[in-house]
Amino acid sequence: MTERYDHFINGQHSAPVGGEYFASTNPATLDVLYEAARGTAEDVDRAVAAATEAFRNPLWRDLSATRRGHLLRRLGDLVAENAEELALQETEDNGKLLREMRGQLAGLPEYLYYYAGLADKVQGSQIPTSSLQVLNYTQREPLGVVGAITPWNSPLTLTTSKLAPALAAGNTLVIKPSEYTSRTILRFAELTVEAGFPDGVVNVVTGMGAEAGAALVDHPGIAKISFTGSTATGARIAASTASRFIGCTLELGGKSPNIVFDDADVDNAAMGVVAGIFAAAGQTCIAGSRVFAHRSVYEELLEKVSARAQSIVIGDPRDKATELGPLAFQDQLDKVSSYVRLGVDEGATVATGGSRPATDLAGYFFEPTVLTGVDNGMRVVREEIFGPVAAVMPFDTEEEVLGLANDTQYGLAAGVWTQNLARAHRMARRLDAGTVWVNTYRAMSPMSPRQGFKSSGVGIEHGLESMHEYTRLKSVWINTDEGPVADPFTLRS
């Protein structure tokens, strides 16, 4: 019998009001893994009510920031203790390599430890005023109930990047995970209770974006929405939150340039390009999908990248020999396939890949693909594909490649490969991207803030700055003069 998972509301599992469930399948085998509750507006109402009550409850409201930090540290310990279970579940849910997920889970507790340490480090300031008898200071307060909507490509990591600072600041949460990856977020919620967080502080409503997700975004009891996903959905969320004068943090799409100059170590750059686009089957918002190579090294780089793409081992993501797993679901496979066909129709040449591979598995596999003969005006170069498809283009000058790299609606990340330190700093300054890597790609840390420019997002995730995303600033004025307050309508001599 297929296992069923209910919502997690007010510290316990809770059946959906409508009584409906949906199936989640393994993208490598197409086997049904489990069924999850199909949330509705009524379920979201219950979760927001529980989170609101928990926010007002003295057990949470009056807990010191230091104690909140202790709870986050305990949660980090529990994630470490359950890392193997969580890694396997995430691999089965979205098809990412088990060895990659083990690596992510090994690092995930560090996010919780980092924010545990920050919980009692967020401070206000004393403000000098024109009168010595008046004390003015600021303090930061939690917002209230935060709605977090998280994607399927890195469910636990991207959920933690929202949950950890939100909890450290004293908020409560309602999380709506992707319908493709419900199980690990529900298990994560269980661990928050085991860690000692009061009931209702962390709630999870599973279901479809157009149903549970939309209900969460539009709920009047939500103080902020934090979302990771597509730019189109982010725009709708921004419009909804703006109409209610509440905040939102949006981590959205990307079409990141990976730029290889003539003085680069081409072997290293080729591996950086491969990692930037083929890791996680290209299903990352920071994927280096636009590759610009100086004309003098273009052929060499193309040959090395294509050769490695052809040798990538495709198969069961649980197998330690596998280097590329499946795409996460059928619509994603259809999307990637259609973009490759579109690229060819636009005049591109498939240097390698471009189709479904022959495997013993029935899943949503797609070959690592390299396109040449492309230019910055083609849709396959301008639009986010979210799959293992790299478009490789030559350039001649630094000014030319800066113009090409910045000629996009996105501004999430960029890579630069050069041995010229002055050039590295120039490029970092002039690239329209929130993150710029030099002679590396995909480096991440909970301590380093991340922000998308242009259509790649609003607000900051990671780092000390992200704590301000989950607090509001209050200014307090205190009259320290014990003398009588003057009559405001009596003229002073």
Side-chain angles (χ1 to χ4, degrees):
M1 182 177 178
T2 303
E3 189 172 9
R4 276 190 168 180
Y5 289 87
D6 291 324
H7 306 305
F8 192 84
I9 298 174
N10 204 28
Q12 60 186 355
H13 293 284
S14 178
V17 170
E20 293 189 36
Y21 293 79
F22 63 94
S24 183
T25 59
N26 184 325
T29 65
L30 306 192
D31 295 331
V32 174
L33 293 168
Y34 57 88
E35 293 182 338
R38 185 164 181 162
T40 61
E42 290 80 8
D43 297 307
V44 171
D45 279 339
R46 292 190 297 133
V48 173
T52 302
E53 181 62 28
F55 182 72
R56 296 169 178 166
N57 190 329
L59 288 174
W60 181 247
R61 182 195 65 203
D62 296 339
L63 196 66
S64 71
T66 301
R67 282 296 306 161
R68 292 199 299 268
H70 291 336
L71 293 178
L72 281 168
R73 177 161 289 278
R74 175 59 182 149
L75 179 58
D77 291 341
L78 288 171
V79 169
E81 292 170 15
N82 293 273
E84 182 65 20
E85 171 196 0
L86 293 169
L88 179 59
Q89 287 183 346
E90 204 146 289
T91 291
E92 290 178 340
D93 267 0
N94 68 5
K96 292 180 77 170
L97 301 183
L98 179 56
R99 57 178 171 158
E100 180 179 354
M101 295 319 306
R102 283 173 172 154
Q104 279 195 20
L105 265 297
L108 194 61
E110 298 301 324
Y111 281 73
L112 295 158
Y113 299 153
Y114 174 72
Y115 286 103
L118 278 184
D120 56 7
K121 309 301 187 300
V122 177
Q123 302 171 345
S125 303
Q126 181 181 337
I127 313 298
T129 66
S130 59
S131 171
L132 295 178
Q133 282 70 50
V134 177
L135 172 66
N136 178 218
Y137 64 88
T138 61
Q139 61 188 32
R140 287 202 165 268
E141 300 178 338
L143 300 171
V145 180
V146 172
I149 302 177
T150 58
W152 44 264
N153 55 330
S154 289
L156 283 170
T157 297
L158 295 173
T159 297
T160 300
S161 69
K162 306 175 188 306
L163 172 141
L167 292 181
N171 300 282
T172 58
L173 289 100
V174 177
I175 303 167
K176 208 298 285 184
S178 167
E179 57 268 32
Y180 299 104
T181 51
S182 303
R183 183 170 49 171
T184 53
I185 306 305
L186 290 166
R187 179 67 180 123
F188 191 44
E190 292 175 345
L191 294 180
T192 65
V193 173
E194 188 176 340
F197 287 90
D199 292 348
V201 169
V202 177
N203 308 272
V204 179
V205 176
T206 58
M208 306 299 155
E211 298 166 357
L216 183 60
V217 168
D218 295 334
H219 199 285
I222 292 294
K224 179 187 177 73
I225 290 289
S226 184
F227 168 79
T228 298
S230 73
T231 298
T233 301
R236 292 194 291 272
I237 291 172
S240 175
T241 55
S243 70
R244 306 195 325 271
F245 304 105
I246 66 172
C248 64
T249 298
L250 307 172
E251 186 183 27
L252 307 176
K255 195 71 178 176
S256 300
N258 211 349
I259 304 166
V260 182
F261 282 97
D262 54 345
D263 65 336
D265 182 318
V266 179
D267 287 331
N268 286 342
M271 289 303 99
V273 169
V274 168
I277 187 57
F278 298 136
Q283 297 172 117
T284 61
C285 53
I286 58 173
S289 53
R290 293 187 299 148
V291 181
F292 297 99
H294 191 274
R295 199 172 300 275
S296 65
V297 297
Y298 173 81
E299 292 295 342
E300 182 183 2
L301 181 81
L302 178 61
E303 180 182 352
K304 291 179 183 295
V305 171
S306 298
R308 187 64 185 98
Q310 291 167 7
S311 69
I312 288 174
V313 178
I314 303 171
D316 189 334
R318 295 169 297 186
D319 188 333
K320 64 181 181 180
T322 297
E323 297 174 325
L324 188 77
L327 299 172
F329 47 94
Q330 181 68 56
D331 286 351
Q332 192 62 21
L333 175 62
D334 294 342
K335 177 184 177 183
V336 173
S337 300
S338 67
Y339 265 108
V340 172
R341 291 194 300 270
L342 173 63
V344 172
D345 290 343
E346 289 180 308
T349 297
V350 178
T352 188
S355 60
R356 299 197 62 183
T359 70
D360 295 331
L361 300 170
Y364 308 121
F365 295 93
F366 196 84
E367 293 174 329
T369 300
V370 176
L371 300 180
T372 60
V374 294
D375 63 59
N376 226 34
M378 293 180 176
R379 285 183 58 193
V380 74
V381 177
R382 302 198 68 80
E383 298 175 12
E384 186 176 41
I385 299 175
F386 222 67
V389 181
V392 186
M393 295 162 278
F395 71 91
D396 293 300
T397 68
E398 184 177 314
E399 285 299 318
E400 176 194 8
V401 78
L402 270 168
L404 292 169
N406 290 336
D407 182 20
T408 173
Q409 66 168 314
Y410 298 108
L412 193 58
V416 176
W417 299 83
T418 181
Q419 299 302 312
N420 184 324
L421 183 61
R423 173 186 284 152
H425 284 294
R426 286 196 305 272
M427 295 295 293
R429 183 177 69 250
R430 297 182 64 189
L431 283 166
D432 289 338
T435 298
V436 177
W437 291 291
V438 178
N439 296 330
T440 187
Y441 206 89
R442 299 184 81 221
M444 291 287 174
S445 168
M447 295 172 279
S448 179
R450 189 166 76 184
Q451 180 175 23
F453 294 176
K454 299 188 283 190
S455 294
S456 287
V458 173
I460 297 172
E461 293 203 328
H462 303 177
L464 174 62
E465 291 86 348
S466 69
M467 292 292 289
H468 290 177
E469 297 284 339
Y470 295 96
T471 58
R472 60 187 183 184
L473 188 67
K474 177 178 285 184
S475 181
V476 180
W477 296 75
I478 297 178
N479 181 10
T480 64
D481 187 352
E482 295 183 357
V485 176
D487 185 336
F489 300 106
T490 300
L491 293 177
R492 300 179 184 179
S493 58

